[in-house]
Amino acid sequence: MNCIILIAVISVGNSAVYGSSRTLLAVAEQSHAPQIFCYIDRQGQPLAAITLGCMIGLLAFLEDLQQTAVIFTWLLSISSLCMLFTWGSICLCHIRFRKAWAYAAYPLEQLPFRSAVGTTGSWVGLAGFAVILLAQIWIRIWPLHVSTMSPSDRAWHFFLRVMALPFILNFYSAHKWWFRTQFVRAAKMDITTGRRVYRILC
């Protein structure tokens, strides 16, 4: 059993390093991260991005300290809400992309991949993530055992569980301020740059 758990952990760690390093590379190529993360060696590996991903992954070994429960709660609270925002933003991007695609009068047959549930699935997913987020905030403001908790404990409990929310909002606001980006309407979206044309043989 320990061998199976070890293999599973290594597999998850390997996929996490692979995904995070390539994501950081793509962000750096768009000048949204330090250019050092654009470095690729002769084997095509983004060494700088992989190194940073591995260094952050070493935080998992903090579990061996005495404050195991506190550290685990901090890491879990940061990652859980970030996952909601990540998938929620993916659903929102899909909805807006399909809106811009329809505005440009492109047929759906030109898309090499189409979601099986379409934009309806993205709307349902986005609404579900919003409900989960509101539920998380609700139960942190009014926890189940509120009568046995002091005001300071309630404040600490609330901050610990939703601490990812101010982090994400601050990063988003800083990005908007630094790059001076604006909201782009569907009519002005660039959906042709980098587009590949596929010829479908019937």
Side-chain angles (χ1 to χ4, degrees):
M1 180 59 69
N2 291 335
C3 180
I4 296 176
I5 295 176
L6 179 61
I7 294 175
V9 170
I10 294 176
S11 176
V12 172
N14 182 50
S15 61
V17 171
Y18 181 88
S20 62
S21 60
R22 271 60 182 184
T23 302
L24 184 57
L25 171 64
V27 172
E29 289 178 343
Q30 298 179 13
S31 301
H32 292 174
Q35 294 300 301
I36 189 175
F37 297 116
C38 291
Y39 174 74
I40 301 177
D41 64 3
R42 295 180 179 179
Q43 285 75 32
Q45 301 172 345
L47 287 184
I50 291 176
T51 302
L52 180 62
C54 292
M55 292 175 61
I56 296 177
L58 291 176
L59 293 175
F61 289 97
L62 294 175
E63 281 285 303
D64 293 332
L65 299 179
Q66 294 181 353
Q67 302 294 331
T68 300
V70 177
I71 295 174
F72 179 77
T73 303
W74 277 74
L75 295 177
L76 182 62
S77 62
I78 294 175
S79 60
S80 59
L81 287 185
C82 287
M83 187 66 67
L84 288 179
F85 278 95
T86 299
W87 283 103
S89 62
I90 291 174
C91 292
L92 182 60
C93 289
H94 179 235
I95 293 171
R96 301 210 64 223
F97 168 75
R98 289 288 292 269
K99 184 177 180 180
W101 190 266
Y103 187 89
Y106 290 133
L108 294 178
E109 288 73 16
Q110 292 185 5
L111 291 175
F113 172 79
R114 284 180 290 173
S115 173
V117 293
T119 55
T120 302
S122 296
W123 277 112
V124 172
L126 188 61
F129 293 136
V131 170
I132 295 174
L133 178 61
L134 293 176
Q136 286 284 336
I137 297 176
W138 176 271
I139 63 176
R140 300 315 169 194
I141 297 178
W142 291 281
L144 297 178
H145 305 287
V146 63
S147 59
T148 60
M149 299 175 62
S150 63
S152 59
D153 290 338
R154 290 182 59 184
W156 173 252
H157 185 74
F158 172 78
F159 173 76
L160 188 61
R161 297 297 181 179
V162 299
M163 62 178 301
L165 184 60
F167 274 103
I168 294 174
L169 294 178
N170 287 333
F171 276 116
Y172 179 79
S173 301
H175 177 272
K176 299 290 287 185
W177 175 80
W178 182 264
F179 292 99
R180 300 293 193 273
T181 58
Q182 297 179 354
F183 182 82
V184 180
R185 297 185 178 275
K188 297 183 178 180
M189 286 186 185
D190 182 11
I191 57 176
T192 58
T193 301
R195 180 185 173 193
R196 297 179 181 178
V197 179
Y198 293 88
R199 179 176 298 176
I200 302 177
L201 299 178
C202 299

